[in-house]
Amino acid sequence: MPQRFRLTLAQLNPVVGALTANSEQVLDAWRVAKAAGADMLALPEMFLTGYQTQDLVMKPAFARDAMAAVQALAVACAEGPAVGIGAPYLEGGALFNAYYILERGRVSAVVKKHHLPNDSVFDEKRLFTPADISGPYRVGPLVIGTPICEDAWYEDVAEAQAESGAQILLVPNGSPHSRGRHDTRMAMMVARVIETGLPLVYLNFVGGQDDQVFDGASFVLNPGGRLTHLLPGFTDAIRHVDFTETADGWRAEPGELAAMPDDYERDYHAMVVGTRDYLRKSGFKRVLLGLSGGIDSAIVAAIASDALGPQNVHCVMLPSEYTSTHSLEDAAEVATLLGCRLDTVSIAGPRAAVTEALAPLFQGLPEDVTEENIQSRMRGLLLMALSNKTGAMLLTTGNKSEVAVGYATIYGDMNGGFNPIKDLYKTRVFETCRWRNANHRDWMQGPAGTVIPPRVIDKPPSAELRQDQRDDDSLPPYPELDAILEGLVERDLSVEDLVAAGQDRATVKRIEHLIYISEWKRFQSAPGVRLTTRAFWLDRRYPMVNRWRDPS
């Protein structure tokens, strides 16, 4: 009879710092693995601590606590399958990103990460010591090599482990979602399989942590790059993978292949999961938002409803004399379609009081954007008061186009604890609304069907802070603006590059200037779900004071 090995993959959602709760998830998964007759249970990179820990992991007491939790798990899992789990490892004053193998009540092996990522959202060279390449380890009949996350993006670690006798590669990861990332991962792992001739298991987290959302979509490849298993995206999953020894080496038996949705669905799912987990892991159960009748607040209300359930979403309309009848009607229809509570609180009285209080100081000065900002700040003040009183987190609703050029009022409509659409350009907001109206999934807690009225999608965007105001009075039309932002922010193109592509030089220079002078606003803005590799925060770090402008 050929030898067999059952590996149970636990694609789960940890909470940073919740060592006890994360250990309980491990024990629950281990019991499932044991009942299924598994030889080993595998969990992702740094699962025990949650990921990313940022500087928390540099606190010696935290690292020691995590290592003690690993030892406790080893004892608790003594009678059953081995366990592979990521956690920090302190040795001789050096801190490592490590993967522990637990067997028969003890730590039987420790694999340390060799390549430390230091780009995009990762700062691991700040946190950890790079280790020498670790060799493979044996569990039962199988010799396993474990390149930890970034280690698998280079040839040397997998190659060295294969040359040292590894018969399969188990790659634990903490890899956050960004648009198109799954295809990149798959291509890199196929390359490792082709180079080594070994089966490969790619195991990732799910769940939100701060701005990042880990999308799961773990998979297994056989030699030649043949896909045998694909776990669902953004969803907890435990799967058993059976390996059989053949004349050509160990091979994974065929298993379940989950569907891989398109980018619009994956982005929307990321926004739902990111919003849900930021709130849940921070201790909030309900949200509050200003529902203006515009498209941005409508899609945020839909995301929040899908994340928490409409019963936990409180919408507030805060009209002024500039609020159109259409906006009042549209806000009411959005709330009705979603099933959310909607209250109306006029800002006329508070605005009149502020105007009266400032009149002596403003005497002789012309009206300008100051009066518009007062309206926005009145709304922000009232919403924050409601948030404080009810214990619901206020969501802010600015899209990436507005965040990029500072088309928002600090301490006004920027108020809030989280922004689900912070990394979504305005043109994608329109398409995302159309996608949500046309699609419903079982992970959505909001209703199926049209939840954002077509008029909300089709009407010209307006902040409604003065009579007959439109966004394109102050900014280029959004298709033009987003094309320029895509070049300047996402691709780091020069002004000359964009002019050569057909953009107006004066417009590009103006948008470049707005991006740079708005850095201070972004520094004070709420966190939001990361969807791209150039999200505003860790992906793109610019000084708030900056006199340079592209001379081209």
Side-chain angles (χ1 to χ4, degrees):
M1 289 288 293
Q3 294 198 88
R4 297 174 66 84
F5 187 94
R6 173 164 283 188
L7 176 64
T8 297
L9 306 182
Q11 176 182 284
L12 301 175
N13 184 353
V15 179
V16 165
L19 301 179
T20 300
N22 295 341
S23 294
E24 288 170 355
Q25 286 198 67
V26 175
L27 290 171
D28 288 344
W30 179 80
R31 294 183 189 105
V32 172
K34 183 178 181 179
D39 298 282
M40 180 177 176
L41 167 71
L43 296 114
E45 175 187 19
M46 293 291 284
F47 182 86
L48 189 59
T49 58
Y51 193 71
Q52 295 191 61
T53 59
Q54 299 192 54
D55 285 5
L56 177 61
V57 77
M58 298 171 69
K59 187 177 280 293
F62 177 73
R64 287 194 297 268
D65 205 11
M67 292 177 70
V70 170
Q71 295 292 338
L73 277 174
V75 173
C77 299
E79 303 296 327
V83 176
I85 185 168
Y89 183 74
L90 267 173
E91 183 180 51
L95 180 65
F96 299 94
N97 180 332
Y99 199 70
Y100 292 76
I101 309 304
L102 315 180
E103 279 189 291
R104 295 184 293 276
R106 64 185 181 88
V107 175
S108 62
V110 179
V111 178
K112 301 168 191 170
K113 194 170 184 178
H114 177 62
H115 291 290
L116 302 179
N118 206 56
D119 58 356
S120 183
V121 296
F122 299 102
D123 290 309
E124 289 205 0
K125 288 185 179 179
R126 170 187 174 87
L127 307 176
F128 299 110
T129 299
D132 294 334
I133 295 175
S134 298
Y137 51 90
R138 178 179 289 276
V139 177
L142 190 59
V143 180
I144 303 171
T146 293
I148 301 173
C149 199
E150 187 82 358
D151 287 343
W153 290 68
Y154 299 88
E155 299 176 13
D156 56 347
V157 176
E159 181 181 274
Q161 291 175 347
E163 290 174 351
S164 299
Q167 295 167 309
I168 72 166
L169 298 173
L170 168 61
V171 184
N173 291 269
S175 180
H177 166 74
S178 60
R179 204 169 294 141
R181 190 66 170 174
H182 178 76
D183 292 342
T184 304
R185 295 175 190 145
M186 185 69 73
M188 295 300 294
M189 297 308 107
V190 167
R192 300 294 85 82
V193 167
I194 291 172
E195 291 157 3
T196 62
L198 299 179
L200 182 148
V201 177
Y202 181 98
L203 178 59
N204 195 20
F205 286 120
V206 290
Q209 172 59 37
D210 296 344
D211 66 320
Q212 295 164 45
V213 180
F214 297 89
D215 56 327
S218 305
F219 56 86
V220 180
L221 299 169
N222 264 335
R226 290 182 293 277
L227 183 67
T228 66
H229 297 72
L230 177 61
L231 276 61
F234 303 99
T235 303
D236 287 13
I238 295 177
R239 297 289 185 271
H240 309 295
V241 180
D242 291 319
F243 289 90
T244 303
E245 189 176 27
T246 73
D248 296 320
W250 289 84
R251 297 293 183 267
E253 300 293 338
E256 180 183 349
L257 298 176
M260 181 54 61
D262 63 19
D263 280 346
Y264 280 102
E265 179 169 342
R266 288 175 63 78
D267 276 1
Y268 191 82
H269 205 167
M271 289 185 287
V272 168
V273 169
T275 302
R276 180 200 71 199
D277 279 3
Y278 186 81
L279 289 155
R280 178 177 64 87
K281 294 178 181 182
S282 299
F284 288 85
K285 297 179 180 179
R286 293 172 291 116
V287 295
L288 169 76
L289 70 140
L291 192 65
S292 68
I295 192 169
D296 294 327
S297 61
I299 191 63
V300 169
I303 291 166
S305 296
D306 286 333
L308 304 172
Q311 71 277 10
N312 293 311
V313 180
H314 182 187
C315 300
V316 183
M317 175 45 134
L318 299 122
S320 74
E321 66 267 36
Y322 302 121
T323 302
S324 67
T325 301
H326 279 181
S327 291
L328 292 167
E329 294 169 350
D330 292 342
E333 188 174 3
V334 168
T336 298
L337 291 170
L338 286 170
C340 301
R341 172 183 171 181
L342 175 66
D343 289 306
T344 300
V345 179
S346 172
I347 68 167
R351 183 183 175 220
V354 170
T355 300
E356 181 181 356
L358 291 173
L361 300 177
F362 283 6
Q363 188 173 3
L365 299 174
E367 286 197 8
D368 56 14
V369 72
T370 305
E371 282 73 20
E372 296 181 20
N373 287 341
I374 287 171
Q375 298 172 63
S376 181
R377 291 187 175 118
M378 286 298 96
R379 293 184 171 111
L381 184 150
L382 293 168
L383 289 168
M384 281 306 306
L386 282 168
S387 175
N388 291 161
K389 183 63 71 175
T390 64
M393 181 181 283
L394 175 60
L395 299 180
T396 184
T397 62
N399 62 72
K400 190 172 186 176
S401 308
E402 295 171 350
V403 172
V405 297
Y407 194 65
T409 304
I410 193 82
Y411 321 125
D413 57 329
M414 289 178 65
N415 281 5
F418 196 71
N419 182 353
I421 63 170
K422 186 176 183 178
D423 202 25
L424 197 67
Y425 284 118
K426 186 77 167 193
T427 47
R428 288 191 78 96
V429 170
F430 291 117
E431 293 307 315
T432 301
C433 289
R434 294 186 179 101
W435 181 89
R436 176 58 179 87
N437 280 345
N439 296 276
H440 192 266
R441 301 289 183 261
D442 58 8
W443 44 264
M444 298 175 181
Q445 296 189 49
T450 296
V451 293
I452 300 170
R455 188 169 72 180
V456 172
I457 301 171
D458 296 336
K459 67 183 179 182
S462 170
E464 293 192 328
L465 297 174
R466 62 176 184 268
Q467 198 66 42
D468 300 322
Q469 184 182 24
R470 290 170 48 138
D471 287 5
D472 54 16
D473 295 337
S474 305
L475 297 170
Y478 281 112
E480 180 184 350
L481 174 62
D482 286 357
I484 294 171
L485 293 173
E486 178 79 24
L488 294 175
V489 175
E490 310 297 321
R491 301 170 60 197
D492 275 332
L493 297 182
S494 68
V495 170
E496 194 59 48
D497 291 333
L498 287 167
V499 172
Q503 298 291 347
D504 174 69
R505 181 182 297 275
T507 302
V508 175
K509 292 293 290 182
R510 176 170 169 252
I511 299 307
E512 177 204 33
H513 179 68
L514 289 173
I515 292 170
Y516 285 138
I517 66 169
S518 300
E519 200 63 46
W520 69 277
K521 281 188 180 181
R522 287 190 288 274
F523 191 81
Q524 298 183 59
S525 65
V529 179
R530 174 184 186 262
L531 301 173
T532 70
T533 57
R534 297 294 280 168
F536 293 124
W537 190 32
L538 295 177
D539 281 304
R540 184 184 179 279
R541 311 178 199 189
Y542 273 70
M544 286 180 282
V545 177
N546 165 29
R547 292 283 185 90
W548 182 84
R549 300 293 183 268
D550 188 343
S552 65

